[in-house]
């Protein structure tokens, strides 16, 4: 039977690298749903993935995940297209680094909406609509295992993703849904540039390396790896 993966934050960085990886073939996944906000970059990313995907079906779904209604709209579109989701890669992420004194609640709230509430809603909505969910891969961060000075909202949100993944794993295991939490370290993307503007991106992990781990965790081999929170770094 053919399977579908939904990847949030698929317009660039780790999400785009993951979409490319699925487009080249992983296990029995033959349908890829790419989610991000409307932009020219997303259009280009979608066109590029479609071009390398052979016979696989690719859907581009525009959604601003800071909007609490957005996940429902994504599933309305998928239901209308008769797409049943088996794998969710909760990858979209937002960061606005600031010290405690300079953290504005509107930015903190935005970080929580994109990094915590949206991944929760993707899983909840898939369950409520009886999608044949079997694997959830939540992308947390090493910033979630150890708080970092100047990264109040981001570190807090990623700690929540790690804990949320434990709840999901515990609660959904009896129903055959495998929940994986990956915590990448420094990876050369736009988000990392915001967090560490002076770093040379060629000296750190590349998005394709994280995508390879996501691919492995989505394969039958990944089923043999049980971990509360897998750290991915090079
Ligand atoms: N890079 C690192 O060092 C690192 C380390 C640990 C964990 N991570 C995590 O890895 C994940 C991927 O990040 P990345 O490093 O690949 O960053 P990135 O290149 O900046 O990509 C972030 C993705 O999230 C999407 N996104 C952000 N806000 C959104 C919103 N409101 N609605 C919908 N989509 C939104 C972006 O799409 P649009 O902006 O096009 O909508 C983009 O596709 C994140 O969860 C991040 O926290 C990254």
């Amino acid at each position: 039977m053919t399977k579908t993966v939904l990847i949030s934050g698929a317009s660039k960085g780790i999400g785009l690298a993951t979409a490319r990886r699925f487009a080249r073939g992983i296990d029995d996944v033959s349908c890829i749903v790419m989610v991000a906000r409307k932009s020219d970059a997303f259009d280009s990313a979608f066109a590029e993935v479609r071009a390398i995907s052979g016979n696989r079906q690719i859907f581009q779904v525009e959604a601003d995940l800071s909007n609490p209604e957005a996940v429902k709209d994504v599933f309305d579109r998928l239901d209308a297209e008769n797409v049943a989701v088996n794998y969710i890669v909760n990858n979209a992420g937002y960061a606005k680094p600031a010290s405690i004194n300079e953290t504005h609640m509107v930015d903190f709230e935005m970080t929580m909406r994109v990094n915590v509430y949206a991944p929760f809603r993707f899983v909840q909505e898939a369950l409520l609509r009886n999608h044949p969910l079997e694997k959830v891969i939540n992308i947390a961060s090493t910033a979630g295992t150890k708080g970092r000075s100047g990264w109040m909202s981001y570190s807090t949100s990623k700690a929540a993703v790690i804990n949320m993944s434990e709840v999901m794993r515990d609660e959904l295991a009896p129903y055959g849904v495998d929940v994986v939490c990956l915590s990448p370290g420094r990876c050369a993307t736009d988000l990392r540039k915001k967090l560490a503007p002076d770093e040379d991106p060629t000296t750190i992990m590349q998005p394709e390396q994280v995508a390879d781990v996501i691919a492995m965790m989505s394969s039958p081999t990944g089923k043999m790896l049980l971990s509360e929170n897998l750290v991915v770094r090079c």
Side-chain angles (χ1 to χ4, degrees):
M1 205 171 91
T2 64
K3 302 221 166 138
T4 296
V5 62
L6 180 152
I7 305 165
S8 72
S11 60
K12 57 184 178 173
I14 294 168
L16 174 55
T18 303
R20 286 192 197 109
R21 190 67 188 72
F22 274 99
R24 289 200 301 271
I26 294 177
D27 204 20
D28 41 11
V29 174
S30 64
C31 176
I32 303 163
V33 179
M34 298 171 66
V35 180
R37 285 172 293 188
K38 183 178 174 57
S39 70
D40 291 345
F42 188 26
D43 289 345
S44 308
F46 174 68
E48 184 210 321
V49 171
R50 193 171 48 182
I52 60 169
S53 65
N55 290 334
R56 291 177 190 83
Q57 260 192 311
I58 316 284
F59 289 91
Q60 178 183 19
V61 183
E62 290 162 357
D64 181 347
L65 298 176
S66 68
N67 171 0
E69 290 299 307
V71 171
K72 192 174 158 297
D73 295 343
V74 171
F75 275 94
D76 282 349
R77 161 94 191 273
L78 296 180
D79 287 347
E81 304 265 12
N82 282 322
V83 174
V85 175
N86 307 90
Y87 300 80
I88 295 175
V89 181
N90 270 319
N91 163 79
Y94 174 79
K96 186 161 180 190
S99 67
I100 296 170
N101 285 350
E102 289 166 341
T103 295
H104 299 293
M105 287 317 294
V106 66
D107 299 325
F108 208 147
E109 180 61 22
M110 167 75 106
T111 311
M112 295 302 282
R113 283 180 180 213
V114 177
N115 295 3
V116 184
Y117 307 156
F120 166 70
R121 286 286 295 121
F122 270 117
V123 171
Q124 187 187 46
E125 201 63 27
L127 295 170
L128 289 172
R129 296 186 188 221
N130 291 319
H131 280 245
L133 197 57
E134 59 186 81
K135 174 86 79 180
V136 176
I137 300 183
N138 292 328
I139 307 299
S141 168
T142 49
T145 50
K146 183 162 186 351
R148 305 272 162 78
S149 166
W151 296 7
M152 172 54 76
S153 55
Y154 183 71
S155 274
T156 304
S157 73
K158 292 302 185 177
V161 172
I162 293 168
N163 193 284
M164 177 174 75
S165 303
E166 288 173 8
V167 177
M168 287 178 176
R169 186 180 304 114
D170 202 36
E171 194 166 319
L172 299 181
Y175 304 100
V177 183
D178 189 18
V179 179
V180 174
C181 183
L182 296 184
S183 281
R186 306 174 304 159
C187 181
T189 65
D190 287 356
L191 184 139
R192 178 68 194 175
K193 202 82 200 149
K194 263 201 259 175
L195 293 168
D198 300 328
E199 187 175 61
D200 175 357
T202 63
T203 62
I204 60 176
M205 185 163 64
Q206 300 302 305
E208 293 72 25
Q209 293 176 293
V210 183
D212 280 344
V213 175
I214 294 171
M216 188 271 286
M217 293 308 293
S218 308
S219 73
T221 308
K223 286 208 169 78
M224 298 190 292
L225 267 175
L226 289 179
S227 169
E228 296 299 298
N229 176 34
L230 280 174
V231 172
V232 184
R233 62 157 64 104
C234 66

